[in-house]
Amino acid sequence: EAEVAQSPRYKITEKSQAVAFWCDPISGHATLYWYRQILGQGPELLVQFQDESVVDDSQLPKDRFSAERLKGVDSTLKIQPAELGDSAMYLCASRVLMGTEAFFGQGTRLTVV
Amino acid sequence: AQSVAQPEDQVNVAEGNPLTVKCTYSVSGNPYLFWYVQYPNRGLQFLLKYITGDNLVKGSYGFEAEFNKSQTSFHLKKPSALVSDSALYFCAVRDQAGTALIFGKGTTLSVSS
Protein backbone atom coordinates (compact mmCIF):
# COMPACT_ATOMS: atom_id res chain seq x y z
CA GLU A 1 0.00 0.00 0.00
CA ALA A 2 1.38 3.41 -1.00
CA GLU A 3 2.35 5.71 1.85
CA VAL A 4 3.52 9.24 2.42
CA ALA A 5 7.18 9.07 3.43
CA GLN A 6 8.73 11.56 5.84
CA SER A 7 12.21 11.89 7.23
CA PRO A 8 13.66 12.12 9.72
CA ARG A 9 11.22 10.62 12.23
CA TYR A 10 12.82 12.46 15.11
CA LYS A 11 15.03 15.55 15.22
CA ILE A 12 16.65 17.33 18.14
CA THR A 13 18.22 20.68 17.39
CA GLU A 14 19.53 23.63 19.33
CA LYS A 15 17.73 26.93 19.12
CA SER A 16 19.02 29.26 16.41
CA GLN A 17 20.11 26.30 14.29
CA ALA A 18 18.63 25.41 10.91
CA VAL A 19 16.55 22.28 10.44
CA ALA A 20 14.91 20.68 7.41
CA PHE A 21 12.23 18.04 6.92
CA TRP A 22 11.55 16.00 3.82
CA CYS A 23 8.31 14.55 2.46
CA ASP A 24 7.63 12.23 -0.46
CA PRO A 25 3.89 12.06 -1.18
CA ILE A 26 2.00 9.15 -2.64
CA SER A 27 2.77 8.88 -6.35
CA GLY A 28 0.34 10.87 -8.46
CA HIS A 29 -0.88 13.06 -5.63
CA ALA A 30 -0.82 16.62 -6.90
CA THR A 31 -1.84 18.24 -3.61
CA LEU A 32 0.61 18.28 -0.72
CA TYR A 33 0.18 19.77 2.75
CA TRP A 34 2.50 20.53 5.63
CA TYR A 35 0.84 20.69 9.04
CA ARG A 36 2.23 21.46 12.48
CA GLN A 37 0.80 19.69 15.51
CA ILE A 38 1.68 21.04 18.93
CA LEU A 39 1.31 18.51 21.74
CA GLY A 40 -2.30 18.31 22.87
CA GLN A 41 -3.70 20.17 19.88
CA GLY A 42 -5.02 19.39 16.44
CA PRO A 43 -2.87 19.80 13.32
CA GLU A 44 -2.71 23.30 11.86
CA LEU A 45 -1.95 24.01 8.21
CA LEU A 46 1.39 25.62 7.41
CA VAL A 47 1.39 25.39 3.62
CA GLN A 48 -0.54 23.76 0.77
CA PHE A 49 0.93 22.97 -2.65
CA GLN A 50 -0.74 22.02 -5.89
CA ASP A 51 2.00 20.51 -8.01
CA GLU A 52 4.91 22.94 -7.57
CA SER A 53 2.76 25.98 -6.79
CA VAL A 54 1.91 27.30 -3.35
CA VAL A 55 -1.87 27.46 -2.92
CA ASP A 56 -1.99 28.66 0.69
CA ASP A 57 0.86 29.76 2.92
CA SER A 58 -1.06 32.30 4.94
CA GLN A 59 -0.22 30.56 8.23
CA LEU A 60 3.46 29.96 7.45
CA PRO A 61 5.78 32.13 9.59
CA LYS A 62 7.73 33.36 6.61
CA ASP A 63 10.43 35.09 8.61
CA ARG A 64 11.81 31.71 9.62
CA PHE A 65 9.94 29.01 7.70
CA SER A 66 10.23 28.14 4.04
CA ALA A 67 8.78 25.35 1.94
CA GLU A 68 9.41 24.19 -1.57
CA ARG A 69 8.25 21.54 -3.99
CA LEU A 70 10.46 22.27 -6.94
CA LYS A 71 9.47 19.46 -9.29
CA GLY A 72 5.97 19.01 -7.98
CA VAL A 73 6.81 15.73 -6.30
CA ASP A 74 8.72 15.68 -3.00
CA SER A 75 8.86 18.66 -0.69
CA THR A 76 11.15 20.20 1.92
CA LEU A 77 10.15 22.32 4.90
CA LYS A 78 12.91 24.40 6.49
CA ILE A 79 13.15 26.36 9.71
CA GLN A 80 15.95 28.87 10.22
CA PRO A 81 16.58 29.79 12.94
CA ALA A 82 14.69 27.30 15.10
CA GLU A 83 13.07 28.59 18.27
CA LEU A 84 11.97 26.72 21.40
CA GLY A 85 8.33 27.22 20.42
CA ASP A 86 8.86 25.29 17.18
CA SER A 87 8.96 22.02 19.10
CA ALA A 88 6.10 20.03 17.60
CA MET A 89 5.17 17.20 15.25
CA TYR A 90 5.44 18.20 11.60
CA LEU A 91 3.06 16.24 9.40
CA CYS A 92 3.00 15.92 5.65
CA ALA A 93 -0.12 14.82 3.80
CA SER A 94 -1.13 14.36 0.19
CA ARG A 95 -4.21 13.72 -1.93
CA VAL A 96 -5.08 13.38 -5.55
CA LEU A 97 -6.17 16.63 -7.18
CA MET A 98 -9.89 15.82 -7.34
CA GLY A 99 -9.83 13.50 -4.36
CA THR A 100 -11.46 13.98 -1.00
CA GLU A 101 -9.40 12.50 1.82
CA ALA A 102 -5.77 13.30 2.52
CA PHE A 103 -3.25 10.67 3.56
CA PHE A 104 -0.69 11.47 6.22
CA GLY A 105 2.89 10.44 6.77
CA GLN A 106 4.27 9.32 10.14
CA GLY A 107 5.47 12.81 10.92
CA THR A 108 8.72 14.32 12.16
CA ARG A 109 8.92 15.01 15.89
CA LEU A 110 11.05 18.14 16.36
CA THR A 111 12.51 19.07 19.73
CA VAL A 112 14.30 22.40 20.02
CA VAL A 113 16.60 22.69 23.04
CA ALA B 1 -14.47 30.76 8.32
CA GLN B 2 -14.42 27.02 8.72
CA SER B 3 -14.15 25.51 12.19
CA VAL B 4 -14.53 22.24 14.04
CA ALA B 5 -15.41 21.70 17.68
CA GLN B 6 -14.79 18.54 19.65
CA PRO B 7 -16.37 19.34 23.01
CA GLU B 8 -14.85 16.45 24.96
CA ASP B 9 -11.15 16.25 25.72
CA GLN B 10 -11.54 12.63 26.82
CA VAL B 11 -14.12 9.87 26.48
CA ASN B 12 -13.95 6.82 28.73
CA VAL B 13 -15.84 3.62 27.94
CA ALA B 14 -15.70 0.00 29.02
CA GLU B 15 -14.78 -2.65 26.49
CA GLY B 16 -17.86 -4.01 24.76
CA ASN B 17 -19.91 -0.87 25.36
CA PRO B 18 -20.92 1.50 22.57
CA LEU B 19 -18.89 4.65 22.12
CA THR B 20 -19.60 8.10 20.73
CA VAL B 21 -17.08 10.86 20.05
CA LYS B 22 -18.75 14.18 19.31
CA CYS B 23 -17.98 16.71 16.58
CA THR B 24 -19.72 19.84 15.35
CA TYR B 25 -18.60 21.97 12.44
CA SER B 26 -19.03 25.27 10.67
CA VAL B 27 -18.37 25.67 6.95
CA SER B 28 -19.69 27.67 4.03
CA GLY B 29 -21.67 25.52 1.66
CA ASN B 30 -21.74 21.75 1.71
CA PRO B 31 -19.06 20.23 3.91
CA TYR B 32 -16.63 17.41 3.40
CA LEU B 33 -16.27 15.77 6.82
CA PHE B 34 -13.63 13.34 8.04
CA TRP B 35 -12.50 11.36 11.04
CA TYR B 36 -8.86 10.47 11.63
CA VAL B 37 -7.20 8.46 14.40
CA GLN B 38 -3.72 9.02 15.82
CA TYR B 39 -1.64 6.63 17.90
CA PRO B 40 1.28 7.93 20.01
CA ASN B 41 4.10 9.43 17.95
CA ARG B 42 2.42 8.43 14.70
CA GLY B 43 0.75 10.24 11.86
CA LEU B 44 -2.98 10.42 11.30
CA GLN B 45 -4.86 7.46 9.86
CA PHE B 46 -7.99 8.05 7.82
CA LEU B 47 -11.09 6.37 9.29
CA LEU B 48 -14.08 7.58 7.29
CA LYS B 49 -15.60 10.47 5.39
CA TYR B 50 -18.91 12.06 4.51
CA ILE B 51 -19.13 13.71 1.12
CA THR B 52 -22.75 13.29 0.05
CA GLY B 53 -25.56 10.77 0.16
CA ASP B 54 -26.50 8.53 3.07
CA ASN B 55 -26.14 10.31 6.39
CA LEU B 56 -24.68 7.22 8.05
CA VAL B 57 -21.22 6.40 6.76
CA LYS B 58 -19.18 3.35 7.63
CA GLY B 59 -15.43 3.25 7.86
CA SER B 60 -12.46 1.25 9.02
CA TYR B 61 -12.29 -0.96 12.12
CA GLY B 62 -16.07 -1.02 12.62
CA PHE B 63 -16.43 2.73 13.09
CA GLU B 64 -19.30 4.72 11.66
CA ALA B 65 -20.40 8.33 11.76
CA GLU B 66 -23.70 10.11 11.38
CA PHE B 67 -24.00 13.37 9.49
CA ASN B 68 -26.71 15.69 10.81
CA LYS B 69 -27.07 18.80 8.71
CA SER B 70 -29.56 20.58 10.96
CA GLN B 71 -27.33 20.15 14.01
CA THR B 72 -24.11 20.59 11.98
CA SER B 73 -22.75 17.49 13.67
CA PHE B 74 -20.72 14.47 12.59
CA HIS B 75 -20.42 12.17 15.61
CA LEU B 76 -18.20 9.10 15.48
CA LYS B 77 -19.70 5.88 16.79
CA LYS B 78 -18.90 2.24 17.32
CA PRO B 79 -21.37 -0.36 18.64
CA SER B 80 -18.82 -2.28 20.72
CA ALA B 81 -15.55 -0.70 21.85
CA LEU B 82 -12.23 -2.55 21.96
CA VAL B 83 -9.25 -1.78 24.18
CA SER B 84 -7.24 -1.36 20.97
CA ASP B 85 -9.52 1.54 19.97
CA SER B 86 -7.83 3.65 22.65
CA ALA B 87 -6.23 6.56 20.77
CA LEU B 88 -6.60 10.22 19.86
CA TYR B 89 -9.43 10.98 17.43
CA PHE B 90 -9.68 14.04 15.22
CA CYS B 91 -12.67 15.39 13.34
CA ALA B 92 -11.88 17.53 10.28
CA VAL B 93 -13.77 19.57 7.73
CA ARG B 94 -13.14 21.29 4.44
CA ASP B 95 -15.28 22.89 1.80
CA GLN B 96 -15.60 21.67 -1.76
CA ALA B 97 -13.23 24.27 -3.12
CA GLY B 98 -10.14 22.24 -2.38
CA THR B 99 -9.03 24.09 0.70
CA ALA B 100 -7.05 22.34 3.39
CA LEU B 101 -8.54 20.33 6.22
CA ILE B 102 -9.42 22.17 9.40
CA PHE B 103 -9.06 19.95 12.45
CA GLY B 104 -10.65 19.90 15.85
CA LYS B 105 -8.44 19.77 18.92
CA GLY B 106 -8.93 16.05 19.29
CA THR B 107 -10.60 13.68 21.74
CA THR B 108 -8.72 11.01 23.63
CA LEU B 109 -10.66 7.76 23.72
CA SER B 110 -9.82 5.41 26.56
CA VAL B 111 -11.33 1.94 26.52
CA SER B 112 -10.92 -0.06 29.70
CA SER B 113 -10.97 -3.85 29.96
Side-chain angles (χ1 to χ4, degrees):
Chain A
E1 184 176 320
E3 295 182 343
V4 177
Q6 289 189 248
S7 66
R9 287 293 312 278
Y10 303 92
K11 180 70 177 179
I12 299 175
T13 192
E14 295 182 346
K15 63 181 181 180
S16 80
Q17 296 299 304
V19 64
F21 315 128
W22 177 79
C23 172
D24 190 12
I26 295 172
S27 178
H29 283 201
T31 302
L32 183 146
Y33 309 94
W34 283 102
Y35 282 86
R36 177 171 60 183
Q37 184 182 16
I38 295 171
L39 190 64
Q41 299 182 20
E44 296 180 330
L45 180 72
L46 290 173
V47 61
Q48 177 182 350
F49 288 93
Q50 182 174 313
D51 298 312
E52 66 277 9
S53 300
V54 173
V55 173
D56 183 358
D57 64 355
S58 58
Q59 301 302 311
L60 188 71
K62 298 180 187 66
D63 57 334
R64 297 186 300 108
F65 286 64
S66 64
E68 61 183 15
R69 194 184 184 198
L70 293 177
K71 296 183 179 179
V73 181
D74 58 336
S75 177
T76 301
L77 179 69
K78 298 179 181 178
I79 308 175
Q80 182 173 19
E83 296 180 352
L84 295 177
D86 295 332
S87 295
M89 175 79 88
Y90 290 82
L91 296 163
C92 180
S94 69
R95 68 173 172 86
V96 295
L97 183 60
M98 300 306 293
T100 52
E101 67 270 28
F103 296 92
F104 284 77
Q106 295 300 309
T108 295
R109 169 72 67 187
L110 173 67
T111 302
V112 182
V113 297
Chain B
Q2 302 170 79
S3 66
V4 176
Q6 293 182 243
E8 304 153 317
D9 290 337
Q10 180 148 348
V11 170
N12 299 309
V13 298
E15 188 173 33
N17 283 0
L19 70 87
T20 299
V21 183
K22 296 180 180 177
C23 171
T24 58
Y25 67 90
S26 174
V27 68
S28 300
N30 294 321
Y32 288 175
L33 294 158
F34 306 84
W35 277 100
Y36 285 83
V37 61
Q38 187 178 36
Y39 297 96
N41 284 315
R42 303 295 292 272
L44 277 68
Q45 295 180 29
F46 169 73
L47 276 181
L48 51 79
K49 64 183 178 183
Y50 172 82
I51 303 302
T52 188
D54 193 350
N55 289 345
L56 184 65
V57 294
K58 296 185 182 297
S60 306
Y61 313 119
F63 285 93
E64 58 190 27
E66 186 168 13
F67 171 64
N68 187 316
K69 187 173 184 177
S70 63
Q71 297 185 6
T72 61
S73 67
F74 189 56
H75 301 331
L76 181 70
K77 300 181 179 183
K78 188 173 183 181
S80 178
L82 300 173
V83 172
S84 58
D85 293 331
S86 298
L88 183 57
Y89 290 80
F90 290 99
C91 181
V93 67
R94 72 171 177 92
D95 61 25
Q96 297 180 16
T99 57
L101 289 170
I102 303 298
F103 286 88
K105 63 180 175 57
T107 298
T108 298
L109 173 66
S110 179
V111 182
S112 57
S113 58

